[in-house]
Amino acid sequence: MGTLGDFAGLWDPEPGWLNTASYGLPPKPAWDALQAALADWRVGATSWEPWDKSTTRARESFARLVGADAGDVFVGSTVSAALAPIAAALPDGAKVLTDDVEFTSDVFPWQVHADRGVEVVAVPGDELVAAIRPGFDLVAVSAVQSSTGAVLDLAAVVAASKEIGALVVIDASQALGWLPLRVDGVDALVTHTYKWLMSPRGATIGYLSPRLQERCRPSAAGWYAGAEVHDSYYGTRMVLADGARKFDQSPAWFSFVGAAPALELVEQIGVETIHQHNLELANEFRAGLGLPPGDSAIVSTPLPGAQEAFASAGIRAAVRDGKLRASFHIYTTLADVHQALTALKPLL
């Protein structure tokens, strides 16, 4: 691990980028790797196998970040597609609990099974743990909420779910890369890497517990899910890989070419270091708005006129559910925070 100052030169953002919750900015090693692969692709300089080595690197880096065995990690392209086999494995009449502001990619995969009697119940986030009671088969929720930045009490969710035998499925897309996370007690943890892991869109990685692997059918299995991918191109002979790799979807090569060095850089810097940096800046921003300190790298607050004020000042943030959403990451500086607060000062 190092200090953020040791790595500052790996990004060159235009001042005022406060929107990592929408997409992260690539560090130089990821950008350079992607440009090299694109240059090779343009002229046909290589086969695809060298690009695919990045998929293995990203899988292994993700496993280390969340404390999983790489054999329990699968790759894909989207969170909703990654959740589909889990939803299909639910029994008829199953009951799923989620947050009432949950991102729809974590809701629709269960809801499309309504014709089988699968029911999705949504409650306010601060009531979620108390709502985990007998009758629920699965709890599906984000580690950090996209619209509000609310951080889940994952340990409490796991403990309450274990008491009733419910599965726990976590979307870490707004968390992994700045919030320390482990898969202990979790049945599935899935993340897209294009936000806080600063990768090209198209690289999703997930953990499946051994008990969940046994329950699920790899319904999207193709050649890349084969035990030996080069022997799985043609015909009806199917020998799927062991472990979670049988749930692999054929990877978007260039997305993983960019993802592998980005994930490895997060490891090198250290999530705890990133976490401290992000919270310091987020709380500086909160203080400037007259808000109490928080525990999230995402700040969400109703502030009429904020979007227009930011646009005039060249600040790039987002509005979600009618609220200003600003997000802070490795490459965010104190100057970015003060620039944003200056833009908002007439509204306060």
Side-chain angles (χ1 to χ4, degrees), residues 83 96-103 106-107 110 123 125 128 132 138-145 150-154 157 161 167-173 186 188-190:
L83 298 183
V96 177
L97 178 66
T98 192
D99 193 303
D100 66 357
V101 295
E102 189 58 59
F103 196 75
D106 302 316
V107 179
W110 324 109
V123 301
L128 184 78
I132 301 174
L138 185 146
V139 179
V141 66
S142 290
V144 175
Q145 284 299 328
V151 177
L152 182 71
D153 187 343
L154 181 57
V157 168
S161 300
L167 297 169
V168 177
V169 176
I170 300 297
D171 180 348
S173 297
V186 171
L189 186 146
V190 181

PDB file of all heavy atoms in Angstrom, residues 83 96-103 106-107 110 123 125 128 132 138-145 150-154 157 161 167-173 186 188-190:
ATOM      1  N   LEU A  83     -27.338 -11.771 -12.088  1.00  0.00           N
ATOM      2  CA  LEU A  83     -28.322 -12.190 -11.091  1.00  0.00           C
ATOM      3  C   LEU A  83     -29.364 -13.154 -11.652  1.00  0.00           C
ATOM      4  O   LEU A  83     -30.049 -13.840 -10.895  1.00  0.00           O
ATOM      5  CB  LEU A  83     -29.041 -10.961 -10.526  1.00  0.00           C
ATOM      6  CG  LEU A  83     -28.177  -9.932  -9.789  1.00  0.00           C
ATOM      7  CD1 LEU A  83     -29.057  -8.810  -9.239  1.00  0.00           C
ATOM      8  CD2 LEU A  83     -27.383 -10.588  -8.659  1.00  0.00           C
ATOM      9  N   VAL A  96     -38.693 -12.026  -1.815  1.00  0.00           N
ATOM     10  CA  VAL A  96     -37.422 -11.296  -1.871  1.00  0.00           C
ATOM     11  C   VAL A  96     -37.600  -9.942  -1.184  1.00  0.00           C
ATOM     12  O   VAL A  96     -38.577  -9.236  -1.432  1.00  0.00           O
ATOM     13  CB  VAL A  96     -36.978 -11.086  -3.332  1.00  0.00           C
ATOM     14  CG1 VAL A  96     -35.691 -10.265  -3.392  1.00  0.00           C
ATOM     15  CG2 VAL A  96     -36.795 -12.427  -4.036  1.00  0.00           C
ATOM     16  N   LEU A  97     -36.624  -9.577  -0.350  1.00  0.00           N
ATOM     17  CA  LEU A  97     -36.646  -8.291   0.342  1.00  0.00           C
ATOM     18  C   LEU A  97     -35.587  -7.380  -0.254  1.00  0.00           C
ATOM     19  O   LEU A  97     -34.445  -7.796  -0.490  1.00  0.00           O
ATOM     20  CB  LEU A  97     -36.372  -8.486   1.836  1.00  0.00           C
ATOM     21  CG  LEU A  97     -36.325  -7.217   2.696  1.00  0.00           C
ATOM     22  CD1 LEU A  97     -37.702  -6.555   2.752  1.00  0.00           C
ATOM     23  CD2 LEU A  97     -35.828  -7.543   4.106  1.00  0.00           C
ATOM     24  N   THR A  98     -35.949  -6.105  -0.474  1.00  0.00           N
ATOM     25  CA  THR A  98     -34.998  -5.135  -1.001  1.00  0.00           C
ATOM     26  C   THR A  98     -35.288  -3.753  -0.452  1.00  0.00           C
ATOM     27  O   THR A  98     -36.262  -3.554   0.290  1.00  0.00           O
ATOM     28  CB  THR A  98     -35.030  -5.140  -2.544  1.00  0.00           C
ATOM     29  OG1 THR A  98     -33.914  -4.393  -3.043  1.00  0.00           O
ATOM     30  CG2 THR A  98     -36.326  -4.535  -3.071  1.00  0.00           C
ATOM     31  N   ASP A  99     -34.442  -2.802  -0.809  1.00  0.00           N
ATOM     32  CA  ASP A  99     -34.591  -1.402  -0.402  1.00  0.00           C
ATOM     33  C   ASP A  99     -35.571  -0.713  -1.349  1.00  0.00           C
ATOM     34  O   ASP A  99     -35.597  -1.007  -2.548  1.00  0.00           O
ATOM     35  CB  ASP A  99     -33.216  -0.713  -0.479  1.00  0.00           C
ATOM     36  CG  ASP A  99     -33.176   0.636   0.208  1.00  0.00           C
ATOM     37  OD1 ASP A  99     -33.989   1.512  -0.163  1.00  0.00           O
ATOM     38  OD2 ASP A  99     -32.326   0.824   1.090  1.00  0.00           O
ATOM     39  N   ASP A 100     -36.345   0.227  -0.844  1.00  0.00           N
ATOM     40  CA  ASP A 100     -37.359   0.856  -1.705  1.00  0.00           C
ATOM     41  C   ASP A 100     -36.773   1.861  -2.692  1.00  0.00           C
ATOM     42  O   ASP A 100     -37.500   2.382  -3.550  1.00  0.00           O
ATOM     43  CB  ASP A 100     -38.481   1.494  -0.873  1.00  0.00           C
ATOM     44  CG  ASP A 100     -38.034   2.671  -0.020  1.00  0.00           C
ATOM     45  OD1 ASP A 100     -36.826   2.989  -0.014  1.00  0.00           O
ATOM     46  OD2 ASP A 100     -38.889   3.282   0.648  1.00  0.00           O
ATOM     47  N   VAL A 101     -35.465   2.159  -2.592  1.00  0.00           N
ATOM     48  CA  VAL A 101     -34.820   2.975  -3.626  1.00  0.00           C
ATOM     49  C   VAL A 101     -33.747   2.170  -4.357  1.00  0.00           C
ATOM     50  O   VAL A 101     -32.845   2.732  -4.976  1.00  0.00           O
ATOM     51  CB  VAL A 101     -34.199   4.266  -3.048  1.00  0.00           C
ATOM     52  CG1 VAL A 101     -35.281   5.183  -2.501  1.00  0.00           C
ATOM     53  CG2 VAL A 101     -33.152   3.958  -1.983  1.00  0.00           C
ATOM     54  N   GLU A 102     -33.870   0.865  -4.322  1.00  0.00           N
ATOM     55  CA  GLU A 102     -32.874   0.005  -4.947  1.00  0.00           C
ATOM     56  C   GLU A 102     -32.804   0.225  -6.450  1.00  0.00           C
ATOM     57  O   GLU A 102     -33.821   0.453  -7.114  1.00  0.00           O
ATOM     58  CB  GLU A 102     -33.195  -1.472  -4.652  1.00  0.00           C
ATOM     59  CG  GLU A 102     -32.109  -2.448  -5.073  1.00  0.00           C
ATOM     60  CD  GLU A 102     -30.783  -2.132  -4.407  1.00  0.00           C
ATOM     61  OE1 GLU A 102     -30.726  -2.136  -3.157  1.00  0.00           O
ATOM     62  OE2 GLU A 102     -29.814  -1.855  -5.134  1.00  0.00           O
ATOM     63  N   PHE A 103     -31.605   0.149  -7.004  1.00  0.00           N
ATOM     64  CA  PHE A 103     -31.412   0.265  -8.446  1.00  0.00           C
ATOM     65  C   PHE A 103     -32.126  -0.890  -9.137  1.00  0.00           C
ATOM     66  O   PHE A 103     -32.083  -2.024  -8.672  1.00  0.00           O
ATOM     67  CB  PHE A 103     -29.913   0.242  -8.774  1.00  0.00           C
ATOM     68  CG  PHE A 103     -29.583   0.730 -10.139  1.00  0.00           C
ATOM     69  CD1 PHE A 103     -29.619   2.082 -10.439  1.00  0.00           C
ATOM     70  CD2 PHE A 103     -29.233  -0.162 -11.148  1.00  0.00           C
ATOM     71  CE1 PHE A 103     -29.306   2.541 -11.715  1.00  0.00           C
ATOM     72  CE2 PHE A 103     -28.925   0.285 -12.412  1.00  0.00           C
ATOM     73  CZ  PHE A 103     -28.958   1.639 -12.712  1.00  0.00           C
ATOM     74  N   ASP A 106     -31.146  -4.554  -9.709  1.00  0.00           N
ATOM     75  CA  ASP A 106     -31.187  -5.463  -8.563  1.00  0.00           C
ATOM     76  C   ASP A 106     -32.619  -5.829  -8.166  1.00  0.00           C
ATOM     77  O   ASP A 106     -32.823  -6.531  -7.174  1.00  0.00           O
ATOM     78  CB  ASP A 106     -30.489  -4.824  -7.362  1.00  0.00           C
ATOM     79  CG  ASP A 106     -29.049  -4.452  -7.666  1.00  0.00           C
ATOM     80  OD1 ASP A 106     -28.354  -5.279  -8.281  1.00  0.00           O
ATOM     81  OD2 ASP A 106     -28.618  -3.340  -7.304  1.00  0.00           O
ATOM     82  N   VAL A 107     -33.581  -5.327  -8.923  1.00  0.00           N
ATOM     83  CA  VAL A 107     -34.995  -5.580  -8.621  1.00  0.00           C
ATOM     84  C   VAL A 107     -35.675  -6.367  -9.738  1.00  0.00           C
ATOM     85  O   VAL A 107     -36.337  -7.383  -9.501  1.00  0.00           O
ATOM     86  CB  VAL A 107     -35.747  -4.250  -8.390  1.00  0.00           C
ATOM     87  CG1 VAL A 107     -37.219  -4.513  -8.091  1.00  0.00           C
ATOM     88  CG2 VAL A 107     -35.114  -3.461  -7.241  1.00  0.00           C
ATOM     89  N   TRP A 110     -35.678 -10.316 -10.205  1.00  0.00           N
ATOM     90  CA  TRP A 110     -36.593 -11.089  -9.366  1.00  0.00           C
ATOM     91  C   TRP A 110     -38.034 -10.872  -9.817  1.00  0.00           C
ATOM     92  O   TRP A 110     -38.840 -11.821  -9.876  1.00  0.00           O
ATOM     93  CB  TRP A 110     -36.451 -10.696  -7.899  1.00  0.00           C
ATOM     94  CG  TRP A 110     -35.047 -10.362  -7.503  1.00  0.00           C
ATOM     95  CD1 TRP A 110     -34.539  -9.128  -7.208  1.00  0.00           C
ATOM     96  CD2 TRP A 110     -33.942 -11.275  -7.380  1.00  0.00           C
ATOM     97  NE1 TRP A 110     -33.195  -9.212  -6.918  1.00  0.00           N
ATOM     98  CE2 TRP A 110     -32.803 -10.507  -7.010  1.00  0.00           C
ATOM     99  CE3 TRP A 110     -33.809 -12.651  -7.539  1.00  0.00           C
ATOM    100  CZ2 TRP A 110     -31.549 -11.092  -6.808  1.00  0.00           C
ATOM    101  CZ3 TRP A 110     -32.554 -13.227  -7.341  1.00  0.00           C
ATOM    102  CH2 TRP A 110     -31.450 -12.451  -6.978  1.00  0.00           C
ATOM    103  N   VAL A 123     -38.703  -2.024   1.324  1.00  0.00           N
ATOM    104  CA  VAL A 123     -38.889  -1.219   2.532  1.00  0.00           C
ATOM    105  C   VAL A 123     -37.836  -0.125   2.566  1.00  0.00           C
ATOM    106  O   VAL A 123     -36.788  -0.236   1.911  1.00  0.00           O
ATOM    107  CB  VAL A 123     -38.787  -2.088   3.813  1.00  0.00           C
ATOM    108  CG1 VAL A 123     -39.832  -3.191   3.818  1.00  0.00           C
ATOM    109  CG2 VAL A 123     -37.382  -2.676   3.953  1.00  0.00           C
ATOM    110  N   GLY A 125     -34.600   1.897   3.534  1.00  0.00           N
ATOM    111  CA  GLY A 125     -33.315   1.324   3.908  1.00  0.00           C
ATOM    112  C   GLY A 125     -33.084   1.228   5.397  1.00  0.00           C
ATOM    113  O   GLY A 125     -32.503   0.251   5.884  1.00  0.00           O
ATOM    114  N   LEU A 128     -34.605  -1.962   6.782  1.00  0.00           N
ATOM    115  CA  LEU A 128     -34.319  -3.226   6.105  1.00  0.00           C
ATOM    116  C   LEU A 128     -33.961  -4.343   7.072  1.00  0.00           C
ATOM    117  O   LEU A 128     -34.515  -5.446   7.002  1.00  0.00           O
ATOM    118  CB  LEU A 128     -33.186  -3.022   5.092  1.00  0.00           C
ATOM    119  CG  LEU A 128     -32.861  -4.251   4.247  1.00  0.00           C
ATOM    120  CD1 LEU A 128     -33.897  -4.417   3.141  1.00  0.00           C
ATOM    121  CD2 LEU A 128     -31.464  -4.142   3.629  1.00  0.00           C
ATOM    122  N   ILE A 132     -36.089  -8.170   8.059  1.00  0.00           N
ATOM    123  CA  ILE A 132     -35.618  -9.525   7.722  1.00  0.00           C
ATOM    124  C   ILE A 132     -36.187 -10.494   8.751  1.00  0.00           C
ATOM    125  O   ILE A 132     -35.648 -10.683   9.843  1.00  0.00           O
ATOM    126  CB  ILE A 132     -34.077  -9.580   7.691  1.00  0.00           C
ATOM    127  CG1 ILE A 132     -33.531  -8.582   6.668  1.00  0.00           C
ATOM    128  CG2 ILE A 132     -33.599 -10.992   7.340  1.00  0.00           C
ATOM    129  CD1 ILE A 132     -32.014  -8.448   6.665  1.00  0.00           C
ATOM    130  N   LEU A 138     -34.791 -14.484   0.307  1.00  0.00           N
ATOM    131  CA  LEU A 138     -33.594 -13.845  -0.227  1.00  0.00           C
ATOM    132  C   LEU A 138     -33.649 -12.349   0.075  1.00  0.00           C
ATOM    133  O   LEU A 138     -34.708 -11.725  -0.028  1.00  0.00           O
ATOM    134  CB  LEU A 138     -33.508 -14.090  -1.736  1.00  0.00           C
ATOM    135  CG  LEU A 138     -32.272 -13.596  -2.485  1.00  0.00           C
ATOM    136  CD1 LEU A 138     -31.931 -14.564  -3.621  1.00  0.00           C
ATOM    137  CD2 LEU A 138     -32.505 -12.203  -3.067  1.00  0.00           C
ATOM    138  N   VAL A 139     -32.500 -11.802   0.446  1.00  0.00           N
ATOM    139  CA  VAL A 139     -32.351 -10.356   0.630  1.00  0.00           C
ATOM    140  C   VAL A 139     -31.410  -9.868  -0.464  1.00  0.00           C
ATOM    141  O   VAL A 139     -30.272 -10.334  -0.566  1.00  0.00           O
ATOM    142  CB  VAL A 139     -31.792 -10.006   2.018  1.00  0.00           C
ATOM    143  CG1 VAL A 139     -31.625  -8.493   2.161  1.00  0.00           C
ATOM    144  CG2 VAL A 139     -32.694 -10.562   3.115  1.00  0.00           C
ATOM    145  N   ALA A 140     -31.896  -8.964  -1.300  1.00  0.00           N
ATOM    146  CA  ALA A 140     -31.112  -8.440  -2.421  1.00  0.00           C
ATOM    147  C   ALA A 140     -31.005  -6.934  -2.278  1.00  0.00           C
ATOM    148  O   ALA A 140     -32.012  -6.221  -2.341  1.00  0.00           O
ATOM    149  CB  ALA A 140     -31.778  -8.801  -3.748  1.00  0.00           C
ATOM    150  N   VAL A 141     -29.796  -6.433  -2.104  1.00  0.00           N
ATOM    151  CA  VAL A 141     -29.646  -5.011  -1.802  1.00  0.00           C
ATOM    152  C   VAL A 141     -28.229  -4.556  -2.162  1.00  0.00           C
ATOM    153  O   VAL A 141     -27.295  -5.372  -2.233  1.00  0.00           O
ATOM    154  CB  VAL A 141     -29.944  -4.769  -0.302  1.00  0.00           C
ATOM    155  CG1 VAL A 141     -28.909  -5.426   0.585  1.00  0.00           C
ATOM    156  CG2 VAL A 141     -30.080  -3.281   0.003  1.00  0.00           C
ATOM    157  N   SER A 142     -28.077  -3.271  -2.399  1.00  0.00           N
ATOM    158  CA  SER A 142     -26.763  -2.697  -2.712  1.00  0.00           C
ATOM    159  C   SER A 142     -25.978  -2.404  -1.441  1.00  0.00           C
ATOM    160  O   SER A 142     -26.551  -1.982  -0.427  1.00  0.00           O
ATOM    161  CB  SER A 142     -26.919  -1.403  -3.507  1.00  0.00           C
ATOM    162  OG  SER A 142     -27.391  -1.657  -4.814  1.00  0.00           O
ATOM    163  N   ALA A 143     -24.671  -2.578  -1.519  1.00  0.00           N
ATOM    164  CA  ALA A 143     -23.806  -2.231  -0.389  1.00  0.00           C
ATOM    165  C   ALA A 143     -23.807  -0.728  -0.152  1.00  0.00           C
ATOM    166  O   ALA A 143     -23.672  -0.269   0.987  1.00  0.00           O
ATOM    167  CB  ALA A 143     -22.389  -2.728  -0.645  1.00  0.00           C
ATOM    168  N   VAL A 144     -23.947   0.038  -1.228  1.00  0.00           N
ATOM    169  CA  VAL A 144     -24.113   1.492  -1.154  1.00  0.00           C
ATOM    170  C   VAL A 144     -25.186   1.857  -2.163  1.00  0.00           C
ATOM    171  O   VAL A 144     -25.121   1.443  -3.325  1.00  0.00           O
ATOM    172  CB  VAL A 144     -22.808   2.240  -1.476  1.00  0.00           C
ATOM    173  CG1 VAL A 144     -23.045   3.748  -1.516  1.00  0.00           C
ATOM    174  CG2 VAL A 144     -21.724   1.909  -0.457  1.00  0.00           C
ATOM    175  N   GLN A 145     -26.165   2.622  -1.733  1.00  0.00           N
ATOM    176  CA  GLN A 145     -27.265   2.968  -2.626  1.00  0.00           C
ATOM    177  C   GLN A 145     -26.845   4.036  -3.650  1.00  0.00           C
ATOM    178  O   GLN A 145     -26.217   5.033  -3.305  1.00  0.00           O
ATOM    179  CB  GLN A 145     -28.468   3.466  -1.828  1.00  0.00           C
ATOM    180  CG  GLN A 145     -29.247   2.363  -1.144  1.00  0.00           C
ATOM    181  CD  GLN A 145     -29.823   1.359  -2.139  1.00  0.00           C
ATOM    182  OE1 GLN A 145     -30.178   1.707  -3.260  1.00  0.00           O
ATOM    183  NE2 GLN A 145     -29.914   0.104  -1.715  1.00  0.00           N
ATOM    184  N   ALA A 150     -26.439   5.896   0.728  1.00  0.00           N
ATOM    185  CA  ALA A 150     -26.557   5.215   2.023  1.00  0.00           C
ATOM    186  C   ALA A 150     -25.733   3.933   2.029  1.00  0.00           C
ATOM    187  O   ALA A 150     -25.789   3.135   1.095  1.00  0.00           O
ATOM    188  CB  ALA A 150     -28.023   4.900   2.314  1.00  0.00           C
ATOM    189  N   VAL A 151     -24.960   3.745   3.100  1.00  0.00           N
ATOM    190  CA  VAL A 151     -24.085   2.583   3.240  1.00  0.00           C
ATOM    191  C   VAL A 151     -24.810   1.501   4.041  1.00  0.00           C
ATOM    192  O   VAL A 151     -25.307   1.757   5.144  1.00  0.00           O
ATOM    193  CB  VAL A 151     -22.766   2.970   3.929  1.00  0.00           C
ATOM    194  CG1 VAL A 151     -21.882   1.747   4.131  1.00  0.00           C
ATOM    195  CG2 VAL A 151     -22.032   4.028   3.104  1.00  0.00           C
ATOM    196  N   LEU A 152     -24.864   0.310   3.487  1.00  0.00           N
ATOM    197  CA  LEU A 152     -25.557  -0.807   4.122  1.00  0.00           C
ATOM    198  C   LEU A 152     -24.783  -1.309   5.337  1.00  0.00           C
ATOM    199  O   LEU A 152     -23.554  -1.389   5.313  1.00  0.00           O
ATOM    200  CB  LEU A 152     -25.696  -1.944   3.100  1.00  0.00           C
ATOM    201  CG  LEU A 152     -26.436  -3.205   3.543  1.00  0.00           C
ATOM    202  CD1 LEU A 152     -27.929  -2.934   3.686  1.00  0.00           C
ATOM    203  CD2 LEU A 152     -26.203  -4.339   2.542  1.00  0.00           C
ATOM    204  N   ASP A 153     -25.512  -1.665   6.395  1.00  0.00           N
ATOM    205  CA  ASP A 153     -24.905  -2.373   7.524  1.00  0.00           C
ATOM    206  C   ASP A 153     -24.863  -3.849   7.139  1.00  0.00           C
ATOM    207  O   ASP A 153     -25.752  -4.628   7.477  1.00  0.00           O
ATOM    208  CB  ASP A 153     -25.735  -2.157   8.795  1.00  0.00           C
ATOM    209  CG  ASP A 153     -25.051  -2.743  10.032  1.00  0.00           C
ATOM    210  OD1 ASP A 153     -24.123  -3.567   9.883  1.00  0.00           O
ATOM    211  OD2 ASP A 153     -25.483  -2.398  11.154  1.00  0.00           O
ATOM    212  N   LEU A 154     -23.834  -4.202   6.375  1.00  0.00           N
ATOM    213  CA  LEU A 154     -23.767  -5.545   5.790  1.00  0.00           C
ATOM    214  C   LEU A 154     -23.703  -6.627   6.862  1.00  0.00           C
ATOM    215  O   LEU A 154     -24.352  -7.677   6.738  1.00  0.00           O
ATOM    216  CB  LEU A 154     -22.563  -5.640   4.863  1.00  0.00           C
ATOM    217  CG  LEU A 154     -22.360  -6.987   4.147  1.00  0.00           C
ATOM    218  CD1 LEU A 154     -23.590  -7.367   3.342  1.00  0.00           C
ATOM    219  CD2 LEU A 154     -21.120  -6.923   3.249  1.00  0.00           C
ATOM    220  N   VAL A 157     -27.158  -7.249   8.153  1.00  0.00           N
ATOM    221  CA  VAL A 157     -27.981  -7.942   7.158  1.00  0.00           C
ATOM    222  C   VAL A 157     -27.621  -9.415   7.108  1.00  0.00           C
ATOM    223  O   VAL A 157     -28.497 -10.287   7.072  1.00  0.00           O
ATOM    224  CB  VAL A 157     -27.806  -7.284   5.773  1.00  0.00           C
ATOM    225  CG1 VAL A 157     -28.410  -8.157   4.671  1.00  0.00           C
ATOM    226  CG2 VAL A 157     -28.448  -5.901   5.749  1.00  0.00           C
ATOM    227  N   SER A 161     -30.177 -12.376   8.226  1.00  0.00           N
ATOM    228  CA  SER A 161     -30.545 -13.329   7.175  1.00  0.00           C
ATOM    229  C   SER A 161     -30.171 -14.748   7.565  1.00  0.00           C
ATOM    230  O   SER A 161     -30.907 -15.706   7.268  1.00  0.00           O
ATOM    231  CB  SER A 161     -29.858 -12.941   5.861  1.00  0.00           C
ATOM    232  OG  SER A 161     -30.254 -11.650   5.445  1.00  0.00           O
ATOM    233  N   LEU A 167     -31.016 -16.244   1.719  1.00  0.00           N
ATOM    234  CA  LEU A 167     -29.839 -15.936   0.927  1.00  0.00           C
ATOM    235  C   LEU A 167     -29.578 -14.425   0.959  1.00  0.00           C
ATOM    236  O   LEU A 167     -30.512 -13.631   1.068  1.00  0.00           O
ATOM    237  CB  LEU A 167     -30.031 -16.380  -0.521  1.00  0.00           C
ATOM    238  CG  LEU A 167     -30.212 -17.883  -0.767  1.00  0.00           C
ATOM    239  CD1 LEU A 167     -30.656 -18.121  -2.206  1.00  0.00           C
ATOM    240  CD2 LEU A 167     -28.907 -18.624  -0.486  1.00  0.00           C
ATOM    241  N   VAL A 168     -28.310 -14.050   0.841  1.00  0.00           N
ATOM    242  CA  VAL A 168     -27.924 -12.642   0.798  1.00  0.00           C
ATOM    243  C   VAL A 168     -27.213 -12.373  -0.522  1.00  0.00           C
ATOM    244  O   VAL A 168     -26.189 -12.985  -0.820  1.00  0.00           O
ATOM    245  CB  VAL A 168     -26.993 -12.274   1.967  1.00  0.00           C
ATOM    246  CG1 VAL A 168     -26.544 -10.817   1.854  1.00  0.00           C
ATOM    247  CG2 VAL A 168     -27.694 -12.513   3.300  1.00  0.00           C
ATOM    248  N   VAL A 169     -27.781 -11.467  -1.314  1.00  0.00           N
ATOM    249  CA  VAL A 169     -27.216 -11.094  -2.611  1.00  0.00           C
ATOM    250  C   VAL A 169     -26.920  -9.593  -2.584  1.00  0.00           C
ATOM    251  O   VAL A 169     -27.825  -8.780  -2.382  1.00  0.00           O
ATOM    252  CB  VAL A 169     -28.184 -11.435  -3.758  1.00  0.00           C
ATOM    253  CG1 VAL A 169     -27.619 -10.958  -5.093  1.00  0.00           C
ATOM    254  CG2 VAL A 169     -28.455 -12.944  -3.798  1.00  0.00           C
ATOM    255  N   ILE A 170     -25.661  -9.239  -2.803  1.00  0.00           N
ATOM    256  CA  ILE A 170     -25.206  -7.854  -2.666  1.00  0.00           C
ATOM    257  C   ILE A 170     -24.697  -7.329  -4.006  1.00  0.00           C
ATOM    258  O   ILE A 170     -23.906  -7.985  -4.679  1.00  0.00           O
ATOM    259  CB  ILE A 170     -24.072  -7.755  -1.617  1.00  0.00           C
ATOM    260  CG1 ILE A 170     -24.561  -8.242  -0.241  1.00  0.00           C
ATOM    261  CG2 ILE A 170     -23.534  -6.329  -1.534  1.00  0.00           C
ATOM    262  CD1 ILE A 170     -25.677  -7.419   0.354  1.00  0.00           C
ATOM    263  N   ASP A 171     -25.164  -6.125  -4.358  1.00  0.00           N
ATOM    264  CA  ASP A 171     -24.606  -5.397  -5.491  1.00  0.00           C
ATOM    265  C   ASP A 171     -23.585  -4.414  -4.930  1.00  0.00           C
ATOM    266  O   ASP A 171     -23.930  -3.516  -4.164  1.00  0.00           O
ATOM    267  CB  ASP A 171     -25.718  -4.660  -6.247  1.00  0.00           C
ATOM    268  CG  ASP A 171     -25.201  -3.884  -7.455  1.00  0.00           C
ATOM    269  OD1 ASP A 171     -23.968  -3.727  -7.597  1.00  0.00           O
ATOM    270  OD2 ASP A 171     -26.035  -3.408  -8.250  1.00  0.00           O
ATOM    271  N   ALA A 172     -22.320  -4.587  -5.320  1.00  0.00           N
ATOM    272  CA  ALA A 172     -21.242  -3.747  -4.796  1.00  0.00           C
ATOM    273  C   ALA A 172     -20.779  -2.695  -5.798  1.00  0.00           C
ATOM    274  O   ALA A 172     -19.708  -2.111  -5.629  1.00  0.00           O
ATOM    275  CB  ALA A 172     -20.059  -4.627  -4.390  1.00  0.00           C
ATOM    276  N   SER A 173     -21.585  -2.413  -6.814  1.00  0.00           N
ATOM    277  CA  SER A 173     -21.149  -1.511  -7.882  1.00  0.00           C
ATOM    278  C   SER A 173     -20.838  -0.102  -7.393  1.00  0.00           C
ATOM    279  O   SER A 173     -19.981   0.575  -7.957  1.00  0.00           O
ATOM    280  CB  SER A 173     -22.210  -1.440  -8.987  1.00  0.00           C
ATOM    281  OG  SER A 173     -22.385  -2.694  -9.601  1.00  0.00           O
ATOM    282  N   VAL A 186     -21.930 -13.926   2.823  1.00  0.00           N
ATOM    283  CA  VAL A 186     -22.698 -13.484   1.666  1.00  0.00           C
ATOM    284  C   VAL A 186     -22.785 -14.626   0.656  1.00  0.00           C
ATOM    285  O   VAL A 186     -21.830 -15.377   0.468  1.00  0.00           O
ATOM    286  CB  VAL A 186     -22.024 -12.247   1.017  1.00  0.00           C
ATOM    287  CG1 VAL A 186     -22.676 -11.889  -0.303  1.00  0.00           C
ATOM    288  CG2 VAL A 186     -22.079 -11.068   1.976  1.00  0.00           C
ATOM    289  N   ALA A 188     -23.928 -14.113  -2.700  1.00  0.00           N
ATOM    290  CA  ALA A 188     -23.480 -13.554  -3.977  1.00  0.00           C
ATOM    291  C   ALA A 188     -23.133 -12.097  -3.779  1.00  0.00           C
ATOM    292  O   ALA A 188     -23.848 -11.371  -3.091  1.00  0.00           O
ATOM    293  CB  ALA A 188     -24.565 -13.700  -5.040  1.00  0.00           C
ATOM    294  N   LEU A 189     -22.021 -11.693  -4.379  1.00  0.00           N
ATOM    295  CA  LEU A 189     -21.625 -10.287  -4.376  1.00  0.00           C
ATOM    296  C   LEU A 189     -21.170  -9.977  -5.796  1.00  0.00           C
ATOM    297  O   LEU A 189     -20.219 -10.583  -6.302  1.00  0.00           O
ATOM    298  CB  LEU A 189     -20.513 -10.025  -3.374  1.00  0.00           C
ATOM    299  CG  LEU A 189     -20.113  -8.557  -3.184  1.00  0.00           C
ATOM    300  CD1 LEU A 189     -19.701  -8.283  -1.741  1.00  0.00           C
ATOM    301  CD2 LEU A 189     -18.984  -8.156  -4.133  1.00  0.00           C
ATOM    302  N   VAL A 190     -21.886  -9.075  -6.433  1.00  0.00           N
ATOM    303  CA  VAL A 190     -21.654  -8.773  -7.841  1.00  0.00           C
ATOM    304  C   VAL A 190     -21.347  -7.291  -7.988  1.00  0.00           C
ATOM    305  O   VAL A 190     -21.941  -6.451  -7.305  1.00  0.00           O
ATOM    306  CB  VAL A 190     -22.895  -9.138  -8.693  1.00  0.00           C
ATOM    307  CG1 VAL A 190     -22.646  -8.851 -10.164  1.00  0.00           C
ATOM    308  CG2 VAL A 190     -23.271 -10.605  -8.486  1.00  0.00           C
TER     309      VAL A 190
END
